[in-house]
Amino acid sequence: MALHEVPTLHGGCGDCPIRHRAVCARCDTDELAQLENIKYYRSYQAGQTVIWSGDKMDFVASVVTGIATLTQTMEDGRRQMVGLLLPSDFVGRPGRQTVAYDVTATTDLLMCCFRRKPFEEMMIATPHVGQRLLEMTLDELDAAREWMLLLGRKTAREKIASLLAIIARRDASLKLRDASKGPIVFDLPLTREEMADYLGLTLETVSRQVSALRRDGVIALEGKRHVIVSDLGRLLEEAGDDSDGGFLV
C-alpha cells in the first residue's frame, strides 16, 4: 500500500501540536525556518508498514499524530514488539542508513519527516537540534531500562497499569495539562492482543487484569478502548511507580 504525502497539512512549525516535545523544541525562529526547508509530511493507514527492518531509510521523522510499533523478528520467524512510538517520538537514527526494527502504524499515523542528509548537516550546524535529540535519546534509554524492570519484576496487574500510565501521562503532556489535576481521557492505541505481545502476557491475563482495574475503580472504560483515568496517582500506585517517577513524562 502506498504512503500518502501531506505537504500542507499543517501551517508553520510554530503551530505544530508536538512542537514543545519534539526534536525541534529548542529551535529558534531561524532554525525552524531551516527545518521547514527540509521537511515534508507522510501519512500511513492503521496496519501499514512504515519501513521494514534492514531497509535503507533516507529520512528521519517525528510522530505528529497516531501510534506506531517497533517489532523485531527472530530467524525462526518469531516476532516481538519491542517499543511504541507515541506522538513527538523520533523515528530513525542520524548517521545510520538502515533500520533495526519493523515500524508499523497501529493507528492512522502522521509523521513530520526530514531528509536524512540535510538533517545530519543541520545537527552539526545547529546545537539546539543536536542537544534536544541527545535529551530524547537519554530519555529513551531511561525508559528502556524501566521497561526491563517492568518485564522482569512487575506483576501482570502492575504491567497493565504501567502501560496505561505511560499513555495517560504522554497524552496529558501533549495537551499541556497537569496530569495530577482532573481526569485524563484517551483512546488506547493497542488491541488486547497487542498489549499481551508487548507485555509478555497472555490475552486472557490482559483481559482479566483490565477488567479488574475497571472493577476496582482505577480506570473507567467506554467500549474496549476509551479509557478514563480519574486519579493518576492511584494508577501510578497500581503500576508500582510514584508521581515523580515512572517511565515517561
Side-chain angles (χ1 to χ4, degrees), residues 113-228:
C113 304
F114 307 99
R115 300 192 306 277
R116 186 170 58 83
K117 282 295 185 182
F119 185 84
E120 291 171 351
E121 293 169 357
M122 189 171 175
M123 281 183 60
I124 297 172
T126 308
H128 285 162
V129 173
Q131 290 169 0
R132 177 57 183 155
L133 187 57
L134 176 60
E135 289 177 354
M136 296 174 72
T137 301
L138 293 174
D139 287 344
E140 185 178 336
L141 177 60
D142 287 343
R145 288 169 173 165
E146 292 284 356
W147 199 255
M148 290 173 62
L149 171 65
L150 180 151
L151 294 178
R153 289 288 182 258
K154 289 194 174 185
T155 66
R157 184 182 177 100
E158 288 173 333
K159 289 180 178 181
I160 297 295
S162 293
L163 179 59
L164 294 175
I166 289 172
I167 298 171
R169 295 170 91 174
R170 175 63 64 87
D171 184 82
S173 176
L174 287 168
K175 295 175 181 175
L176 297 176
R177 291 186 58 242
D178 185 344
S180 65
K181 297 180 180 179
I184 302 174
V185 182
F186 61 90
D187 289 322
L188 191 63
L190 301 174
T191 65
R192 301 287 172 89
E193 291 86 351
E194 289 168 335
M195 291 174 65
D197 179 25
Y198 192 32
L199 297 170
L201 301 171
T202 65
L203 173 60
E204 293 76 13
T205 298
V206 170
S207 295
R208 186 166 57 249
Q209 294 301 331
V210 169
S211 296
L213 290 170
R214 178 178 57 181
R215 183 179 62 249
D216 294 342
V218 180
I219 62 172
L221 288 176
E222 295 179 358
K224 289 187 176 181
R225 295 202 181 189
H226 195 65
V227 181
I228 302 169

Side-chain angles (χ1 to χ4, degrees), residues 65-121:
T65 59
I67 309 290
T69 60
L70 302 175
T71 306
Q72 200 161 26
T73 303
M74 301 176 66
E75 291 184 0
D76 61 5
R78 285 177 293 170
R79 291 168 56 84
Q80 176 63 49
M81 190 189 306
V82 296
L84 285 177
L85 293 172
L86 303 174
S88 79
D89 283 341
F90 192 75
V91 187
R93 294 292 181 268
R96 180 185 297 175
Q97 294 189 7
T98 58
V99 185
Y101 309 105
D102 296 339
V103 181
T104 306
T106 300
T107 66
D108 288 346
L109 182 71
L110 176 67
M111 299 197 307
C112 178
C113 304
F114 307 99
R115 300 192 306 277
R116 186 170 58 83
K117 282 295 185 182
F119 185 84
E120 291 171 351
E121 293 169 357

Side-chain angles (χ1 to χ4, degrees), residues 1-16:
M1 186 181 300
L3 59 83
H4 301 77
E5 296 203 2
V6 191
T8 59
L9 188 59
H10 293 287
C13 289
D15 300 322
C16 180

Side-chain angles (χ1 to χ4, degrees), residues 9-85:
L9 188 59
H10 293 287
C13 289
D15 300 322
C16 180
I18 61 167
R19 167 81 167 87
H20 60 290
R21 285 192 56 96
V23 70
C24 56
R26 295 184 180 276
C27 290
D28 58 28
T29 302
D30 291 341
E31 292 163 347
L32 287 177
Q34 293 180 56
L35 285 173
E36 289 272 11
N37 290 331
I38 62 171
K39 82 173 186 182
Y40 56 99
Y41 292 104
R42 286 181 172 179
S43 65
Y44 299 85
Q45 296 177 356
Q48 188 175 357
T49 298
V50 176
I51 195 162
W52 295 101
S53 173
D55 283 355
K56 185 175 180 180
M57 189 170 181
D58 59 0
F59 68 95
V60 296
S62 293
V63 176
V64 180
T65 59
I67 309 290
T69 60
L70 302 175
T71 306
Q72 200 161 26
T73 303
M74 301 176 66
E75 291 184 0
D76 61 5
R78 285 177 293 170
R79 291 168 56 84
Q80 176 63 49
M81 190 189 306
V82 296
L84 285 177
L85 293 172

